[in-house]
Amino acid sequence: MADITLKNITKQYGDGYRAVRDVNLDIADGEFVILVGPSGCGKSTLLRMIVGLEDITSGDMLIGGERVNEKAPRDRNLSMVFQNYALYPHLTVYENIAFPLRLAKFGDAEVDRRVHQASELLELDEHLQRKPANLSGGQRQRVAMGRAIVRQAQAFLFDEPLSNLDAKLRGQMRAEISRLQKRLGITTVYVTHDQIEAMTLGDRVAVLRKGELQQVATPRDLYTSP
Ligand code: ADP
Ligand code: ADP
């Protein structure tokens, strides 16, 4: 686990557009930070720079105190959970969760140990031999999170993970993500434009506007009118 520091982070795309402008943000070890702002304000760009999927034009990105600007995504040891939880339909829950460990060439015994540990935490242990098509939406989401946690990543990054779900499931998953994050104590950055998620999930909310960080505050300070 690790803290994440953004120092004067700027992203200028090839066409000259500055999507992220001089952003400074310290995210503490174990902290849950929500990133909000209107569409096009730079949330995804910022998240992708943290993960390493987007080059940083200027500034410094530190993870666990180490500068990672030039580090490849796989060497940053972060877990990204995307909007559509592309699970492999032909693989069992077990193999879906094991997938990143197989890729990283972990031995069978270690794969087995970690998959069981993750599936217990996520209450998926009774479903390990099932295929995604036979799971509920919530269970599928837990499989996706299982895949993120088996790698024992230093941080979780979520890009609007609940936006495709119906209201009821969204409520359940919100509670589940919150519970899991507290239980794991893992540093988390979570992009959303759902105000309920912003108000209930995070320790702090960072508000982006036209690429600039406008405000960083606790949900209480941000959403309670004086
Ligand atoms: P958000 O996630 O907040 O909706 P994005 O980070 O996706 O915002 O985009 C921020 C701005 O950068 C937008 O104006 C978008 O059009 C622009 N942008 C995103 N990706 C690219 C790209 N690859 N090339 C040029 N401009 C981009
Ligand atoms: P979202 O609103 O869900 O963040 P977008 O439609 O903004 O998604 O972006 C989807 C993809 O298109 C992203 O990979 C982004 O980098 C790319 N993109 C967005 N805006 C531009 C742009 N102006 N030029 C080139 N690519 C872009």
Side-chain angles (χ1 to χ4, degrees):
M1 267 168 281
D3 53 331
I4 300 174
T5 303
L6 284 69
K7 276 191 193 166
N8 307 106
I9 291 291
T10 292
K11 174 67 187 185
Q12 181 164 351
Y13 280 112
D15 59 4
Y17 186 74
R18 287 194 303 140
V20 172
R21 306 171 185 206
D22 201 21
V23 165
N24 287 285
L25 182 62
D26 283 313
I27 303 167
D29 189 7
E31 193 178 16
F32 195 144
V33 169
I34 306 276
L35 204 52
V36 298
S39 183
C41 70
K43 303 182 295 297
S44 303
T45 300
L46 197 57
L47 205 64
R48 290 205 304 269
M49 283 194 284
I50 297 174
V51 199
L53 295 173
E54 199 78 72
D55 287 340
I56 296 164
T57 306
S58 63
D60 288 314
M61 179 82 65
L62 286 81
I63 299 175
E66 189 194 352
R67 188 174 180 276
V68 298
N69 288 45
E70 279 84 35
K71 261 196 178 187
R74 66 175 176 283
D75 298 325
R76 297 188 186 196
N77 197 20
L78 308 172
S79 269
M80 182 101 171
V81 184
F82 291 96
Q83 208 171 59
N84 55 348
Y85 297 96
L87 300 176
Y88 300 102
H90 58 290
L91 296 181
T92 60
V93 167
Y94 184 104
E95 284 304 330
N96 265 286
I97 296 175
F99 196 79
L101 302 176
R102 302 275 190 220
L103 269 188
K105 308 250 184 283
F106 279 79
D108 285 342
E110 183 63 12
V111 169
D112 201 57
R113 196 182 68 76
R114 290 198 188 194
V115 170
H116 279 104
Q117 198 177 34
S119 61
E120 266 165 45
L121 200 63
L122 294 162
E123 289 156 26
L124 284 170
D125 29 344
E126 288 176 20
H127 307 292
L128 286 173
Q129 295 314 318
R130 302 176 73 188
K131 299 273 175 70
N134 304 321
L135 300 175
S136 72
Q139 288 167 337
R140 266 181 243 160
Q141 168 136 21
R142 278 185 261 151
V143 176
M145 290 179 74
R147 214 160 49 176
I149 64 178
V150 281
R151 290 181 40 221
Q152 301 176 346
Q154 305 195 76
F156 272 164
L157 303 164
F158 290 92
D159 195 357
E160 304 198 30
L162 308 184
S163 57
N164 290 335
L165 307 179
D166 66 49
K168 181 160 171 265
L169 187 55
R170 214 181 304 142
Q172 287 171 9
M173 292 316 302
R174 211 164 45 226
E176 192 139 340
I177 287 174
S178 174
R179 182 179 68 93
L180 203 63
Q181 196 274 343
K182 285 197 182 74
R183 190 149 156 192
L184 297 170
I186 186 165
T187 312
T188 300
V189 184
Y190 187 108
V191 167
T192 185
H193 46 246
D194 182 300
Q195 195 168 16
I196 300 176
E197 288 171 33
M199 285 169 69
T200 56
L201 277 176
D203 298 314
R204 282 191 301 162
V205 181
V207 184
L208 264 184
R209 196 171 182 88
K210 294 183 179 165
E212 287 180 11
L213 196 55
Q214 273 207 322
Q215 201 176 2
V216 187
T218 63
R220 177 194 291 257
D221 288 345
L222 198 63
Y223 295 113
T224 311
S225 42

